[in-house]
Amino acid sequence: MFLDIATEAALAAGAVLQGYLGKLEDAITEKGRPGDLVTAADKASEVVILDILRRHFPEHSILAEESGKLGNQDNEFLWAIDPLDGTTNYAHQYPFFAVSIGLLINGVPQVGVIYDPFHDELYRAATGLGATRNRRPIKVSETSELSKSLLVSGFAYDRRETSDNNYAEFCHLTHLTQGVRRSGSASLDLAHVACGRLDGYWERGLSPWDITAGIILLQEAGGKVTAYDRTPLKIESGRILATNGHIHDSLSQELQQVPPLSVWR
């Protein structure tokens, strides 16, 4: 039931995003930091999602990117919602954005739906039920060597304000792999690792709504999710290491020994 309702909400929100795409004009603002955008589409998408979830689960708590904490936050059921993951992409009509809806039960991701409306790709997962793309089972890649892997990462909105900005890690791993991509959508990064298009993903500066759905999707597809140092992930930490499992240890080791950017020539 949870998975079906999350799917209903994601598809409805995706239709909203498609309707606004290319029609925002001046309905784009910054939320504080340069590049941290919000659009009318973000807000309209979130309204649709909240309406559906509240109608079916009025007692559940919600953590939404635009509305923040809603409902009884002591409830064991917490929905983590990103109504438009990849807002900057969307504002520029760059076709890489998604709706992400995840359910944590007692703090553990249990249900996830990620919908890419531009490409009409629907990713779904729930504990014990496996992971799918457009209702067909998916699994992680078999790549077992870091040197043969294709990775993805990203940069947080505070990258201009801190030296802990992932630039050094990105450069270091670009040298050691077949490439590192930067997509601008954490949920789709996780979805693409889950379906084998990518072999691993790491990032800092994330929020629970960015990764909750992707975590359960990747785990159900056979992947592995931890903190950078391979300890259990704390979803509030903002840092995640997610891979096909085969390159997890080697990627973790490299992340922990990246030289500071100041020594690069």
Side-chain angles (χ1 to χ4, degrees):
M1 179 181 182
F2 293 145
L3 185 58
D4 290 339
I5 300 306
T7 299
E8 176 189 346
L11 291 174
V16 170
L17 297 183
Q18 283 291 78
Y20 274 93
L21 186 62
K23 304 174 184 177
L24 290 170
E25 299 178 350
D26 297 325
I28 304 171
T29 58
E30 288 188 338
K31 291 192 283 187
R33 292 189 174 97
D36 188 2
L37 306 181
V38 62
T39 72
D42 293 75
K43 297 175 181 179
S45 174
E46 187 163 294
V47 167
V48 168
I49 296 169
L50 293 178
D51 178 65
I52 291 172
L53 293 182
R54 284 168 164 165
R55 181 164 16 104
H56 290 279
F57 311 116
E59 73 283 5
H60 288 190
S61 55
I62 294 173
L63 178 61
E65 181 173 16
E66 306 308 330
S67 301
K69 296 179 179 180
L70 302 169
N72 176 16
Q73 293 298 305
D74 293 327
N75 190 282
E76 63 180 318
F77 298 98
L78 173 64
W79 292 94
I81 299 165
D82 194 337
L84 174 48
D85 184 24
T87 300
T88 301
N89 290 344
Y90 184 87
H92 289 269
Q93 299 184 55
Y94 183 74
F96 207 85
F97 54 87
V99 179
S100 181
I101 302 175
L103 174 63
L104 299 106
I105 302 178
N106 293 318
V108 179
Q110 301 279 2
V111 174
V113 175
I114 298 168
Y115 181 49
D116 172 354
F118 191 90
H119 300 100
D120 194 25
E121 291 192 329
L122 175 67
Y123 297 88
R124 301 180 354 131
T127 300
L129 297 181
T132 63
R133 181 182 67 227
N134 291 345
R135 312 285 176 158
R136 295 182 177 180
I138 57 174
K139 64 178 182 178
V140 295
S141 71
E142 295 294 333
T143 304
S144 59
E145 298 176 37
L146 195 60
S147 62
K148 296 181 180 179
S149 68
L150 180 63
L151 307 180
V152 67
S153 190
F155 306 100
Y157 295 118
D158 67 355
R159 60 187 179 274
R160 300 172 180 84
E161 305 159 15
T162 176
S163 58
D164 179 22
N165 52 26
N166 200 34
Y167 292 165
E169 291 87 341
F170 191 95
C171 293
H172 180 73
L173 285 158
T174 296
H175 282 221
L176 298 179
T177 65
Q178 291 188 346
V180 180
R181 303 293 181 251
R182 191 278 174 103
S183 75
S185 172
S187 63
L188 284 181
D189 290 342
L190 286 162
H192 288 185
V193 177
C195 71
R197 291 173 176 167
L198 296 163
D199 305 304
Y201 164 67
W202 84 94
E203 194 169 346
R204 60 165 296 278
L206 298 163
S207 297
W209 52 73
D210 295 313
I211 57 176
T212 295
I215 288 172
I216 185 62
L217 183 76
L218 181 57
Q219 290 173 332
E220 287 294 311
K224 187 172 184 178
V225 180
T226 68
Y228 280 15
D229 62 0
R230 288 169 282 173
T231 57
L233 177 69
K234 295 180 180 178
I235 201 166
E236 300 84 5
S237 71
R239 294 176 187 262
I240 186 172
L241 172 60
T243 74
N244 62 6
H246 305 298
I247 63 166
H248 203 87
D249 289 353
S250 55
L251 181 51
S252 171
Q253 290 167 6
E254 293 298 336
L255 282 173
Q256 294 179 80
Q257 60 185 27
V258 175
L261 195 62
S262 59
V263 308
W264 283 74
R265 295 291 185 269

